[in-house]
Amino acid sequence: MPRWLPRAVVLVLALIACFQLGSWAFHQLTGLLVNILIAFFLALAIEPAVARMSARGMRRGLATFLVFLGVFVAAAGFVVLLGSMLAGQIVAMVQGFPGYLDSVIGTINTTFHTKLSRLAIQDSLLHSDWLQKYVQNSATGVLDVSATVLGGLFRLLTIGLFSFYFAADGPRLRRALCSVLPPAKQSEVLRAWEIAVAKTGGYLYSRGLMALVSGIAHYIVFVVLDVPYAPALAVWVGLVSQFIPTIGTYLAGALPMLIAFPDSPWYALYVLGFVVVYQQFENYVLQPKLTARTVDIHPAVAFGSVIAGTALLGAVGALIAIPAVATLQAFLGAYVKRYEVTEGAAAGSAGAAGDPATPSPRPWRGRLPGPR
């Protein structure tokens, strides 16, 4: 046996063990890494406001605290307003549900000449095996729901703390990162940081514009249909549909339907129809153009980045995919050398596109050679 073989075997086993340990640690820390990524983009989003307040003489930590306090107060007030509105509307709907049920049963009895009774239907539902099993399963899942809620609150706290430190210690963090790099690389890091701040701000600006347009459009429809709490519902639809990816559209449309249902079930259907139609207009007309202009990427690239981000990180990936791709595209664009298009290539592309100004090759009019 060669002398180097045992040492090579030990080295290979050690590398395999290190790889397995690193893979295990990475999978265990995936949640923390995702939280740090969200916190980083949140810090980039509030960086312009913090920098502007810091430039006027305010301490950076205090400026960051005031920005976070304003965001928290606005979010808490909005949630409390919607919660009270929703609770009152649910109580009104529950109180009026027997009347709706009597109306439906009366229509069925008149149309189909049946003899249905609301009391008999309620009694059959209360004593059904399906309802008892559903109540038992719901009771056993209370602990799981509580654990999920507590986990979500802890995750929000973690993201908030990391984003606060990233925003408050932004200059110190950049200096610490640049101190381990050569001078040529330091300028590149600072340029990438500035591009990330600009692109993230542009993305949030585009989302804010789409939320404003969506809120105004839905407010007009809610006022025409005389839906209660039209201003609050319009704000709800605008914010939730834009800032909660994937399921935000369904959450945004469900609440106005629930509020409109006690007044008239037909109004709920009208609201559903308008939400569906407006979402199609937004997805295929408004969002690609507005997002592409604010973050300066092609609509197809924006759409593909959202799909890729959703496949990689779910809802979080869909939310940060566009600013991340826009930052990467802008940063790489500074290092990609571009050349002028030659006349031959320009003529070839115009001919492929069917340009009538491009001369087509003349057909050959000679005679084919015959057999000798």
Side-chain angles (χ1 to χ4, degrees), residues 192-219:
W193 196 288
E194 293 175 358
I195 291 174
V197 171
K199 295 302 180 180
T200 305
Y203 174 71
L204 293 179
Y205 172 72
S206 65
R207 287 293 176 180
L209 283 181
M210 287 190 293
L212 178 62
V213 174
S214 177
I216 293 175
H218 286 84
Y219 173 74

Side-chain angles (χ1 to χ4, degrees), residues 3 6 13 34 75 92 108 135 157 163 189-190 204 208 219 255 271 279 285 299 329-330 346 348:
R3 290 184 177 181
L13 294 178
V34 172
I108 294 176
V135 172
L157 179 61
S163 60
V189 171
L190 294 177
L204 293 179
Y219 173 74
L255 183 59
V271 171
Q279 286 301 320
V285 178
Q329 178 181 349

Side-chain angles (χ1 to χ4, degrees), residues 48 72 142 222 225 253 320:
F72 176 76
V142 170
F222 295 157
L225 296 178
I320 66 176

